[in-house]
Amino acid sequence: MTTNDSTIVRHKSLFLHQLKRVLHHTENTEKMTVNEMKKKSELIFIPAPGIGHLVSSLEFAKLLINTHTNLSITVLCIKFPGILISDSYIKAALASEPQIQLIDLPEVQPPPEELLKSPEFFILTVMESLIPHVKAVIQTILSDKIVGLVLDYFCVSMIDVGNELGIPSYLFLTSSVGFLTLMLSLQNRRIEDVFDDSDPDHQFLIHGLSIPVPCKVLPEAFFNKHGGYVAYYTFAERIRDTKGIIVNTFSELERYSIDALSNNEKTPPIYAVGPLLDLKGNPNPSLDKAQHNMILKWLDEQPNKSVVFLCFGSLGVSFVPSQIREIALGLKNSGVRFLWSVKSPPEGFLEWMELEGKGMTCEWAPQVEILGHKAIGGFVSHCGWNSILESLWFGVPILTWPIYAEQQLNAFRMVKEWGVAVELRVDYRRGRDNVVAEEIEKGLKNLMDKDNIVHKKVQEMKEKARNAVASGGSSFISVGKLIDNIIGSN
């Protein structure tokens, strides 16, 4: 090789080396640019302050940051008149989540007391009064990082803030797709067309529900001329203004409803991302630790699937004393083992319970821990959506006793559509405080009958619920599609 040839080879080698460095640098720069873009992804969550709404909202926020590590979330915390548990629950639930920051919204003047005739209209009024505060807070943190608002159903009026600031909004529904179909059906009516419940058995065919729905299982607010219906109608009007609808459910449970709505081009994409459950069960600050331990110790001593758990939601239910006595008598006569969450058992009941050794009462119960205990074989529930998902997760059949809101629609579907529950009542307007002991006794025996088909069906649904959130499951895939929608469009 000549000197010139050697020089050419050396220069060529040096050129290739430099070219590789340039390409490597360019590749790294591109990677950094992509990563920088990803790091700019921030969502703002605005959950409703009720504990039933907060549980699934905060679990969803945690799921998102664990799925997409370059995502950060800001939760705007609403101070709602009369709801005190929200603050402590939020702080406990997010204590170990540095990617989620909290900003308290200022308290607003509560609406006039006459609006309390309709809780839904009261909520609507409070939320609308918060709009300027929400806008002011978002403007202080506004940057190209914010890629979406995630709004609770009751907070959809905040869509206007997103539109004004150029931020897309996503609805987060803490109830079922069935409830969503009901809300969307209101768009076929007029705002003044309050429902008439003079014929409780009159049935409605609602697009997205596989069976006709009797008038008696619609939410009470639908018949409220003092604002309840107007509030629901107003909330429902905004659903189609969102870029996507995120629902705490799983497609194997509500496939019919999801498919029916997805076939309507006017409906935003639906993302079934559940069950979203707080399986750690952040403790209620009012719960006595000694009582907590006593409950679990008593359950440990009971045979497998032998105990029925009676609990009526995080808000508690103030049954009249006569109804409490009927429940107590029904429990006595049924002969089943029970754990009953009740503040004031009837006179003489505790003595009878001590003598029989078949039951226990408590003022507040760690519901998730109890439903997951091997001793629990049945659940008498108000049929709130979180409670339903928890019961399905643990494979515990329900005896239905709905109390308010959409719970009677939930109860109706559990019994008639999915066959995973036993009917005690599905119509709370005619059955909250007049359920007699004989009905309760019969319902309890039916619920705890191991040959009842509901036990088999609820076990099948348990497996489907767990598969949905596992890697490759339907909800796992749905979360991925949602993140692609949020990040990709920005």
Side-chain angles (χ1 to χ4, degrees), residues 22-57:
V22 170
L23 290 173
H24 181 66
H25 175 73
T26 304
E27 185 183 353
N28 282 346
T29 303
E30 286 175 354
K31 283 181 180 176
M32 285 173 62
T33 305
V34 170
N35 285 335
E36 286 301 314
M37 286 171 66
K38 285 181 179 177
K39 283 177 185 173
K40 289 181 178 179
S41 301
E42 178 174 357
L43 287 171
I44 295 179
F45 272 53
I46 311 181
I51 197 72
H53 291 251
L54 285 173
V55 170
S56 52
S57 298

Side-chain angles (χ1 to χ4, degrees), residues 173-183 203-204 206-214 216-219 247-261 270 272 381-386 388-389 391-392 398-402 405-427 454 457-458 461:
L173 191 63
T174 57
S175 191
S176 67
V177 180
F179 176 68
L180 174 64
T181 68
L182 181 60
M183 291 300 99
Q203 295 190 329
F204 294 92
I206 295 173
H207 176 70
L209 291 176
S210 62
I211 52 177
V213 176
K216 65 185 178 185
V217 305
L218 297 178
V247 192
N248 184 17
T249 189
F250 53 106
S251 62
E252 290 79 2
L253 180 65
E254 295 198 89
R255 169 60 62 199
Y256 181 91
S257 298
I258 293 170
D259 286 348
L261 293 186
I270 296 171
S381 172
H382 65 313
C383 300
W385 190 243
N386 286 341
I388 286 173
L389 292 178
S391 75
L392 294 177
I398 282 179
L399 182 65
T400 62
W401 196 331
E406 89 287 7
Q407 291 168 4
Q408 51 193 4
L409 176 64
N410 295 342
F412 174 76
R413 296 180 73 209
M414 291 255 291
V415 173
K416 305 294 186 184
E417 189 175 351
W418 303 320
V420 293
V422 173
E423 180 179 347
L424 178 62
R425 289 286 175 94
V426 294
D427 174 9
V454 298
K457 288 195 172 184
V458 83
M461 201 57 76

Side-chain angles (χ1 to χ4, degrees), residues 154-199:
F154 286 123
C155 302
V156 287
S157 54
M158 312 297 179
I159 290 171
D160 293 334
V161 176
N163 289 344
E164 194 173 334
L165 300 177
I167 305 169
S169 295
Y170 295 82
L171 171 66
F172 181 73
L173 191 63
T174 57
S175 191
S176 67
V177 180
F179 176 68
L180 174 64
T181 68
L182 181 60
M183 291 300 99
L184 289 172
S185 75
L186 297 183
Q187 298 306 292
N188 300 322
R189 303 171 65 88
R190 295 177 303 170
I191 196 165
E192 61 270 19
D193 289 343
V194 177
F195 283 76
D196 176 13
D197 67 346
S198 57
D199 179 6

